[in-house]
Amino acid sequence: MANPVILSVDDDPAVSRAVARDLRRRYGDRYRVVRANAGPEALEALREIKLRGEQVALLLADYRMPEMTGIEFLEAAMDLFPAARRVLLTAYADTGAAIDAINLVDLDHYLLKPWHPPEEKLYPVVDSLLDAWSASPIAAATEIRVVGHRWSAESFAIRDFLARNLVPYRWLLVDDPEGARLLAAAGVTEADVPLVVTGDGKTLVAPAEAELAGLIGLNVTPTADFYDLIVVGGGPAGLGAAVYGASEGLRTVLVERLATGGQAGQSSRIENYLGFPDGVSGAQLTDRARRQALKFGAELLSTREVVGLDEAGSARVLRFSDGQCLAAHSVVLATGVSYRMLAAPGLDDFTGRGVFYGSAASEAPSCVGADVYIVGGANSAGQAAVYFSRYAQRVHLLIRGADLTASMSQYLIEQLGRIEQVIVHPHTEVAAAAGDEHLQRLTLRDTRTGEQRDVDTSWLFVFIGAEPRTGWLDGTVVRDQRGFVVTGPDLVTGGRRPPGWSLPRDPYHLEASLPGVFAAGDVRAASVKRVASAVGEGAMAVSLVHRYLEAQ
Ligand SMILES: Cc1cc2nc3c(=O)[nH]c(=O)nc-3n(C[C@H](O)[C@H](O)[C@H](O)COP(=O)(O)OP(=O)(O)OC[C@H]3O[C@@H](n4cnc5c(N)ncnc54)[C@H](O)[C@@H]3O)c2cc1C
């Protein structure tokens, strides 16, 4: 397999040569160093690299170039290689531009020219960026190909899993000539798909998520059987707890049933998270948080679902769905919420075959030119409408209320108002779904008049609120009527502590009714359902874990 590429672009030929020379000297044995003298030339080189199926690990671009600035180049390059690390080369006077670029192109670093000696100023930066890139699933997944049926829920599950874990792949239909060739080479038939083929030729037929996770370099097995802290759930709250737990010296493991990022990972653009004035995609925020947690030494386990929590003396023991157990002094529950299912005749038959819960971003390129229907009036539905409008011919937003003002942020309402292809249908609900092999038709009902009409579509995305899936905590910690975990002062009613509470103090602020078990983020009763508050509660839970451990 070809070495991954480091590409540098600078319009000053002497500087361009010097950068390439310094990079080759240190990284030439493991990376292919490519240099260009202008943005368009560099983009052309990237397109060729893409076509050859090679990877790009790092891009270094000079800021001041005549045809295309470094920021413009990096922005265009992101479409081709979103996972490549990005560095802007600037003169001292351009640092303002570099700071802008941090927001615009999610810049990883800016380097002031000249950087001599490279041992001090260039290599430490490049070393850490290449380490981060090599540790990402993307590096492990060079040219993964998935062969499957267009409308197969199993094939969708695999593509969704890879997309949520930020792993690039090529999707081939069984009747595509290359798809057929891969099936033949793997010795399987159309009936056996989905088939996953790695860059180095390993094949997996209809793999389970844990198998797939192993293949793309995600950790599924803990290295110890006892920790200071187990975090359950890898959304913003869980990742926040893992970063703070590990950075403050706790042996920390995070257990995630699917892919880190949680709901936030599915957001195409989070506009209101502090420090990102131009917004940040959920995928980028997740990637950064993962790297940060790993850097501090937290273990992150994927595809491991927790199904039970038991008390064993001072230890807290979690059970996985495969029967294995993991114990710790303390636990942070950060399991968030999951989308509620839409109830209408016929819908269940098409889940993953035209009906999707959440944004299912992996499907967007297939919606080109189509009419897409989205159910929901909150921010998540609004963000999805903006995102799908880049692909679909028309995006129909179905809401029960008269307008969006009660449930959606004003900035998003205004954004939707500016997009011609988005049509809001007030007082409208889905009454039924029909189709053959996949969704082909929806029946819509006017909620005021009861009048019904049929529309032809193959795409329905549902965002109708969410509920915590906390049934597995039955009998262990107190939950409210809707299943959210009750914590802190809310557990003390009329001066009485919760039943079974064994300590001579009230529960700490985020502590559940079992001492040493804390809840953070959306799963906690009365929490604010936002990324910032989830991260904040994750951090705060860790400080309470310290207080709990000190008193033990
Ligand atoms: C599409 C979308 C857009 C959004 N946009 C914004 C926005 O712009 N701004 C904003 O502030 N908020 C936004 N939100 C809300 C925000 O994402 C949530 O408030 C936030 O993600 C909550 O974080 P959390 O960690 O508490 O839970 P979650 O993000 O729900 O993460 C929980 C994690 O726990 C895992 N898990 C659950 N049960 C188990 C189990 N038993 N074992 C192991 N793992 C388990 C899940 O797989 C999941 O990964 C958006 C939400 C959505 C869906």
Side-chain angles (χ1 to χ4, degrees):
M1 202 183 300
N3 281 341
V5 168
I6 298 176
L7 181 139
S8 73
V9 48
D10 196 308
D11 64 313
D12 179 335
V15 177
S16 177
R17 270 195 305 276
V19 184
R21 184 200 57 218
D22 285 348
L23 290 171
R24 278 198 194 104
R25 190 146 56 86
R26 184 161 174 116
Y27 306 104
D29 57 335
R30 289 162 292 145
Y31 293 87
R32 189 159 74 83
V33 177
V34 175
R35 79 177 174 92
N37 295 325
E41 180 192 333
L43 278 181
E44 196 44 49
L46 287 182
R47 281 188 203 103
E48 276 174 30
I49 292 166
K50 184 90 201 168
L51 285 177
R52 283 202 298 269
E54 292 173 24
Q55 289 281 30
V56 175
L58 179 66
L59 299 162
L60 300 101
D62 181 38
Y63 171 55
R64 280 179 193 273
M65 294 188 289
E67 287 170 82
M68 186 181 231
T69 69
I71 297 178
E72 286 165 346
F73 162 73
L74 290 173
E75 200 174 0
M78 269 170 91
D79 290 340
L80 290 163
F81 292 99
R85 302 288 162 211
R86 295 176 277 275
V87 175
L88 196 68
L89 308 174
T90 61
Y92 181 70
D94 293 328
T95 47
I99 291 164
D100 289 347
I102 292 175
N103 292 317
L104 270 173
V105 295
D106 196 27
L107 196 70
D108 289 293
H109 211 93
Y110 67 92
L111 273 175
L112 294 182
K113 295 193 289 186
W115 53 76
H116 286 292
E119 281 72 15
E120 270 176 37
K121 302 215 172 121
L122 177 69
Y123 297 152
V125 171
V126 174
D127 281 352
S128 79
L129 292 176
L130 291 178
D131 281 352
W133 182 83
S134 316
S136 65
I138 285 120
T142 309
E143 249 316 67
I144 283 190
R145 283 152 295 171
V146 180
V147 188
H149 292 293
R150 175 72 204 91
W151 296 109
S152 142
E154 292 78 19
S155 298
F156 166 70
I158 288 194
R159 288 183 289 131
D160 191 47
F161 180 80
L162 293 173
R164 281 174 190 246
N165 281 294
L166 316 180
V167 176
Y169 62 86
R170 202 136 59 88
W171 165 229
L172 298 160
L173 296 175
V174 284
D175 44 13
D176 177 290
E178 193 178 343
R181 270 196 295 278
L182 285 173
L183 289 183
V188 295
T189 69
E190 275 191 31
D192 303 314
V193 296
L195 169 74
V196 178
V197 184
T198 63
D200 53 2
K202 273 194 218 107
T203 57
L204 291 178
V205 176
E209 273 160 1
E211 250 184 302
L212 205 51
L215 185 82
I216 59 177
L218 294 173
N219 196 6
V220 293
T221 316
T223 58
D225 44 28
F226 198 92
Y227 290 81
D228 293 324
L229 170 63
I230 302 176
V231 180
V232 189
L239 286 167
V243 166
Y244 283 89
S247 67
E248 290 169 14
L250 298 177
R251 277 169 304 155
T252 304
V253 62
L254 180 149
V255 184
E256 164 57 48
R257 74 171 166 202
L258 194 59
T260 45
Q263 300 165 70
Q266 290 196 289
S267 170
S268 47
R269 199 124 206 109
I270 299 165
E271 301 274 4
N272 55 359
Y273 188 55
L274 188 74
F276 292 89
D278 298 301
V280 57
S281 75
Q284 278 168 6
L285 196 63
T286 302
D287 175 51
R288 284 169 172 252
R290 271 187 68 89
R291 285 196 276 135
Q292 205 170 6
L294 290 168
K295 180 184 88 176
F296 286 123
E299 281 179 45
L300 306 184
L301 309 183
S302 300
T303 67
R304 300 302 299 267
E305 181 169 15
V306 175
V307 295
L309 168 63
D310 300 307
E311 183 182 6
S314 68
R316 303 288 172 258
V317 182
L318 289 160
R319 252 176 299 119
F320 290 132
S321 48
D322 62 5
Q324 281 187 352
C325 290
L326 198 58
H329 291 303
S330 60
V331 170
V332 171
L333 300 169
T335 50
V337 291
S338 306
Y339 282 109
R340 223 176 283 139
M341 307 290 272
L342 188 62
L347 273 179
D348 285 355
D349 301 342
F350 300 111
T351 306
R353 296 188 296 129
V355 176
F356 303 92
Y357 289 86
S359 66
S362 59
E363 296 307 283
S366 305
C367 297
V368 171
D371 272 37
V372 165
Y373 285 76
I374 293 179
V375 184
N379 281 6
S380 49
Q383 286 180 4
V386 173
Y387 182 68
F388 279 97
S389 70
R390 293 185 203 134
Y391 299 87
Q393 170 173 279
R394 269 184 301 265
V395 176
H396 303 268
L397 193 58
L398 311 181
I399 57 169
R400 285 191 167 176
D403 59 38
L404 294 165
T405 48
S407 50
M408 197 178 282
S409 298
Q410 191 55 31
Y411 80 86
L412 211 48
I413 297 178
E414 286 168 14
Q415 207 175 345
L416 289 176
R418 289 193 293 271
I419 306 174
E420 239 174 58
Q421 303 96 292
V422 177
I423 304 159
V424 180
H425 299 266
H427 305 293
T428 305
E429 63 184 10
V430 174
D436 190 354
E437 186 192 354
H438 63 93
L439 176 72
Q440 286 167 314
R441 203 164 46 261
L442 288 174
T443 305
L444 306 182
R445 183 192 296 128
D446 185 313
T447 53
R448 291 161 306 178
T449 61
E451 198 182 309
Q452 298 198 353
R453 66 190 168 100
D454 284 352
V455 292
D456 290 337
T457 185
S458 298
W459 305 101
L460 177 71
F461 297 90
V462 183
F463 300 81
I464 52 161
E467 55 196 6
R469 304 262 162 87
T470 51
W472 58 278
L473 291 168
D474 256 352
T476 319
V477 298
V478 173
R479 294 171 304 137
D480 70 9
Q481 279 176 336
R482 289 161 49 199
F484 290 98
V485 177
V486 182
T487 56
D490 294 341
L491 285 165
V492 182
T493 42
R496 285 215 310 278
R497 292 174 183 145
W501 182 260
S502 54
L503 299 179
R505 61 160 175 85
D506 286 354
Y508 294 138
H509 195 67
L510 301 181
E511 200 168 22
S513 60
L514 179 61
V517 174
F518 298 81
D522 282 13
V523 73
R524 198 175 69 78
S527 66
V528 180
K529 310 294 187 253
R530 287 284 181 269
V531 176
S533 48
V535 173
E537 288 192 5
M540 182 176 165
V542 169
S543 77
L544 297 171
V545 164
H546 281 294
R547 203 190 290 177
Y548 168 79
L549 293 177
E550 277 158 21
Q552 282 296 95

